[in-house]
Amino acid sequence: MMQNSPISGESRLERGRRALAEIDGAAGQNVIEALEGIAPDFVTYLFEFPFGDIYCRPGLNLRDREIATIAALTAMGTAAPQLKVHIEAGLNVGISQAEITEILMQMAVYAGFPAALNGLFAAKEVFARHEAVTEAGA
């Protein structure tokens, strides 16, 4: 797993590309490719700020950062596509399906049942896709 610190001489953009690849894998690359034709500058901002600056900070490991991100996106209730990407990222950094389900259920207390339900349905979709890819690769 990536260290949450910059590599000497690495730019924010390079650091962000490295972090996105490790954290989000193919799901993150799909987002980048979808935006490149319409907003290439925004792609650079995505690489540099959230991934190059925030995700690479010391203090929290990637697993903990994804727990916080999954909880926040669930609580927002308006970010299903991003939630799916980060549920996949959570699986990539070692959060189990059972733990993700618990995170989503916890959000019922603070964000309400509709937000938790939407999160659980998003997770169900990601889990099914993840299992299909895993079985195909096995």
Side-chain angles (χ1 to χ4, degrees):
M1 185 177 295
M2 181 182 99
Q3 294 179 349
N4 288 15
S5 61
I7 293 174
S8 181
E10 190 177 40
S11 72
R12 292 171 69 218
L13 181 60
E14 292 165 336
R15 192 170 56 241
R17 286 182 191 275
R18 178 175 54 84
L20 179 76
E22 181 174 345
I23 298 162
D24 287 342
Q29 188 57 40
N30 291 341
V31 171
I32 296 304
E33 289 171 4
L35 290 173
E36 281 179 328
I38 189 169
D41 289 343
F42 195 77
V43 169
T44 300
Y45 302 148
L46 281 173
F47 280 131
E48 290 179 339
F49 180 63
F51 291 96
D53 292 340
I54 302 300
Y55 269 90
C56 291
R57 288 179 52 78
L60 290 176
N61 63 35
L62 295 177
R63 185 178 190 283
D64 293 341
R65 288 183 189 282
E66 282 304 322
I67 289 171
T69 303
I70 291 167
L73 290 170
T74 300
M76 287 175 65
T78 58
Q82 293 80 15
L83 176 59
K84 290 175 187 176
V85 168
H86 284 281
I87 289 170
E88 184 73 36
L91 295 169
N92 289 343
V93 299
I95 306 171
S96 71
Q97 289 184 8
E99 290 171 316
I100 290 170
T101 300
E102 287 297 324
I103 293 163
L104 299 170
M105 289 174 59
Q106 178 74 18
M107 291 304 97
V109 177
Y110 297 97
F113 274 80
L117 282 167
N118 290 340
L120 288 164
F121 285 124
K124 182 178 179 181
E125 184 181 319
V126 172
F127 294 164
R129 188 172 54 244
H130 187 77
E131 288 170 7
V133 169
T134 301
E135 288 173 8

